[in-house]
Amino acid sequence: MAVAVEEKRAWIMIVVTAVSYTAYLAVVLGRSGAGPITQEPYVAALLWTVGSAIAASIALHITVALLSPEEGRAKDQRDREIHHFGDHIGQSFVVVGGVAALVLAMAEADRFWIANAVYLAFVLSALLGSTAKIVAYRTGFQPW
């Protein structure tokens, strides 16, 4: 069974997201010393891991597109519906993260916690949305 290009893209998103967020956590938590974690530098690590994830994702998407046969690159109606389905599911975590950041800001939490809540929401959004796409490709997709 041939794997659709869109399913490969979902796998790329899962792997790149998981690796980059794990690297971010390793850097930030690895720096934590005796003081509070909110005092540790995190902005550069966050920017580098997000930027690296974007660059890696673009490079891998281009590689998959170049290595896929021409007829395998065309999206059909099912591909579009699965893409929208996965995006809608993933976007729920963006909303949850926005609400969490809003609550943290109103509670006057440290910027560290607000930034990390938003970053975690984006990570969970990418993971959940991509997982939904893969499940839809693997188990069949029935639009509502």
Side-chain angles (χ1 to χ4, degrees):
M1 178 176 93
V3 178
V5 171
E6 294 302 314
E7 182 182 347
K8 291 175 185 176
R9 289 180 177 179
W11 280 108
I12 289 169
M13 184 63 79
I14 286 177
V15 171
V16 168
T17 300
V19 168
S20 65
Y21 191 66
T22 300
Y24 169 75
L25 290 176
V27 169
V28 171
L29 295 176
R31 291 180 183 164
S32 63
I37 194 166
T38 57
Q39 300 303 312
E40 299 298 327
Y42 69 94
V43 175
L46 194 149
L47 292 174
W48 275 103
T49 55
V50 169
S52 298
I54 291 169
S57 181
I58 290 170
L60 290 169
H61 280 93
I62 290 170
T63 302
V64 164
L66 291 174
L67 295 176
S68 297
E70 184 70 34
E71 63 274 1
R73 288 186 244 163
K75 286 186 184 181
D76 61 11
Q77 183 63 28
R78 180 174 176 262
D79 289 324
R80 285 188 285 278
E81 288 178 5
I82 289 174
H83 179 75
H84 291 303
F85 170 72
D87 283 352
H88 287 190
I89 289 178
Q91 287 173 357
S92 63
F93 274 98
V94 173
V95 172
V96 170
V99 170
L102 183 63
V103 169
L104 288 168
M106 289 187 297
E108 298 181 4
D110 192 87
R111 287 184 215 149
F112 173 87
W113 297 115
I114 297 170
N116 279 280
V118 172
Y119 188 21
L120 179 60
F122 285 136
V123 167
L124 293 175
S125 173
L127 294 175
L128 183 63
S130 295
T131 300
K133 290 174 187 178
I134 291 168
V135 168
Y137 275 108
R138 293 294 170 121
T139 62
F141 177 70
Q142 297 297 324
W144 295 82

